[in-house]
Amino acid sequence: MTARIGHTVKAVLFQVHSIAGLVLALLVSLIALTGAIMSFEDEIVDQLNAGIMQVAPRQVPALMPDGLVARLKAGQDVGKVSAVTLSSDPAAAVHVRFARDERGDRPTSLYVDPYDARMLGSPRGEAFFATVRRLHRWLLIPGDGKGWGRPITGTVALGLIVMLVSGLVLRWPRRAGSAKMWLKPNLGLSGRGLHRSLHTVIGTWVLPVYLTIALTGLWFSFEWYKDGVTRLLARPHVTAAKMPAKSSRAVDRSGTAQPIGFDQAWTTFQREEGGRFSRAQLTLPAGAATVIRIRSWGKDRTLETTRDEFRIDAVTGQMVSAERYDDKTFGEKIIAAIYDIHRGAILGWPGKLAFMIAAVLMPLFSVTGILLYLSRRRLRRPAQPPLGRLVPGE
């Protein structure tokens, strides 16, 4: 009886695994390959743009952010500045980003000399990786993160989890403790046997990586998942602080919204942080709000997500909130590092390389899975009766 139930369960799981694989094969391969392309984006972009990211240090002080933006606009016809990235390194250029225009397009960013606001150039590779990122996250569907692309990629991640769990159960051998059975493909086989060996054994190798990618990928797709993880890992007051707070608005006497600048917030940040930061990204708020977000990275920080975050009123220079990475609990540090976990960067460049290789291998499972499905169809096809046994009219 137990054996019959186990056989039925495995038969159902096999159907679920096969159907999910056939439906999602193309999308999961596309998302994986675009993720692999982005694995070493930072290193590639830095190499491509080494000549415009550095300047000759000078004895004169660097321009304040508002003065730099004003000079840049006076010398060039540029769009509305949305963010600037400043560095404590006197030889580092300032990175200026722009808001979307009326058509919804975002102009390419610029590197600018911090001493005289001279335009050094636009970073090569930025447009390419931006397109790859939109394809990876939202499949280039209009609306980006607010369109249908986001829930579709999230559904693909859920489907991948189903395939991984069902595949593991189906793969479970009678001698589960045999490392050879789990990890060594039989390359002496051919045809269906080889396809099955590659599909199952290599799948076992990369299963932990795929499961990590899928579970962290859901964070970027579904708010319910993000809220659940936050409640599980963060302290209650931190969870409450994630709710958007109301912000004041900069208006004149007529009630018209007035533009705000970076200088007040930058001065407060420098007074608060001193020389502890290596670089800081200042982002203007949307609409007529006045609170500027500043993300800063310490000089000993190598990961993108090990950052401190400040919110400072641009009009008064008052510190609204300060969220320091060192003050986070273990669970909150996991939340902060979701992106680095997703791409393997939490393990350094070896982790990024391992995750990239695993992503590149994803089409292998799509191809071998489809080949196994087609071979099963052929095996199930009823054999044609011999011609000698046919009777008239058949």
Side-chain angles (χ1 to χ4, degrees):
M1 183 67 177
T2 304
R4 184 180 300 175
I5 294 175
H7 180 75
T8 303
V9 170
K10 282 203 169 186
V12 172
L13 284 178
F14 182 77
Q15 291 299 322
V16 170
H17 185 85
S18 299
I19 293 171
L22 289 172
V23 172
L24 301 177
L26 179 60
L27 284 179
V28 77
S29 296
L30 176 65
I31 293 171
L33 290 177
T34 50
I37 292 172
M38 294 189 296
S39 294
F40 289 92
E41 175 186 354
D42 296 338
E43 291 82 356
I44 293 171
V45 171
D46 287 350
Q47 281 294 114
L48 289 174
N49 300 285
I52 63 172
M53 295 174 65
Q54 298 290 317
V55 299
R58 303 171 206 174
Q59 297 300 321
V60 297
L63 294 171
M64 290 290 285
D66 289 343
L68 182 140
V69 170
R71 287 199 189 187
L72 177 63
K73 287 185 174 181
Q76 299 287 334
D77 182 18
V78 296
K80 179 183 177 182
V81 173
S82 64
V84 295
T85 301
L86 305 162
S87 176
S88 61
D89 182 0
V94 176
H95 194 191
V96 181
R97 293 181 172 87
F98 301 95
R100 296 186 183 276
D101 57 26
E102 296 177 353
R103 297 179 300 177
D105 299 326
R106 189 183 298 278
T108 184
S109 64
L110 293 172
Y111 280 100
V112 179
D113 191 309
Y115 300 99
D116 58 14
R118 178 172 55 90
M119 188 175 67
L120 302 175
S122 298
R124 288 183 292 176
E126 181 180 74
F128 169 76
F129 281 111
T131 302
V132 173
R133 189 175 299 107
R134 289 180 60 235
L135 180 59
H136 179 76
R137 293 179 176 177
W138 309 305
L139 305 174
L140 296 181
I141 294 175
D144 291 345
K146 297 180 180 179
W148 283 102
R150 188 180 181 192
I152 289 174
T153 55
T155 303
V156 172
L158 287 172
L160 178 59
I161 294 172
V162 170
M163 286 189 288
L164 293 171
V165 174
S166 59
L168 180 63
V169 174
L170 293 170
R171 170 89 213 279
W172 200 271
R174 293 180 179 177
R175 290 182 295 142
S178 172
K180 179 180 178 181
M181 188 172 294
W182 278 108
L183 303 175
K184 184 179 179 181
N186 190 345
L187 300 180
L189 299 173
S190 62
R192 175 179 170 81
L194 178 62
H195 300 156
R196 179 177 175 80
S197 181
L198 292 175
H199 191 85
T200 57
V201 174
I202 298 179
T204 303
W205 293 352
V206 297
L207 186 144
V209 174
Y210 287 166
L211 194 58
T212 300
I213 290 173
L215 289 173
T216 52
L218 290 173
W219 172 273
F220 304 102
S221 295
F222 297 118
E223 289 300 324
W224 59 263
Y225 184 87
K226 187 175 184 178
D227 292 341
V229 172
T230 301
R231 290 191 179 94
L232 180 65
L233 297 179
R235 291 166 291 180
H237 73 276
V238 174
T239 303
K242 296 296 181 183
M243 298 297 292
K246 293 183 178 180
S247 176
S248 59
R249 298 167 64 88
V251 297
D252 58 16
R253 293 181 179 179
S254 65
T256 304
Q258 295 296 302
I260 60 173
F262 296 100
D263 283 1
Q264 284 276 25
W266 179 237
T267 300
T268 300
F269 170 78
Q270 286 183 305
R271 184 173 63 248
E272 185 76 17
E273 286 296 278
R276 290 191 294 269
F277 75 99
S278 62
R279 61 187 174 97
Q281 183 186 76
L282 288 68
T283 303
L284 290 174
T290 63
V291 176
I292 288 179
R293 184 189 68 196
I294 301 181
R295 289 176 171 173
S296 71
W297 292 263
K299 294 180 178 179
D300 58 341
R301 300 278 166 79
T302 58
L303 295 177
E304 182 67 21
T305 50
T306 55
R307 62 175 180 252
D308 300 327
E309 187 163 316
F310 305 87
R311 296 184 184 274
I312 303 174
D313 193 290
V315 177
T316 65
Q318 180 180 357
M319 180 75 69
V320 177
S321 66
E323 185 179 310
R324 299 184 184 277
Y325 181 80
D326 290 338
D327 294 336
K328 296 178 185 291
T329 64
F330 178 73
E332 290 160 5
K333 287 182 178 179
I334 291 177
I335 292 175
I338 287 286
Y339 176 63
D340 283 327
I341 296 172
H342 181 70
R343 61 194 187 121
I346 196 75
L347 302 174
W349 73 262
K352 292 169 71 172
L353 180 62
F355 274 51
M356 184 188 74
I357 293 173
V360 169
L361 288 173
M362 181 63 78
L364 171 69
F365 301 103
S366 299
V367 172
T368 54
I370 292 172
L371 290 175
L372 288 169
Y373 170 78
L374 294 176
S375 66
R376 287 196 303 273
R377 295 271 299 189
R378 285 195 297 268
L379 290 173
R380 290 173 182 171
R381 189 176 302 162
Q384 296 295 329
L387 291 176
R389 296 184 182 178
L390 292 177
V391 298
E394 288 187 324

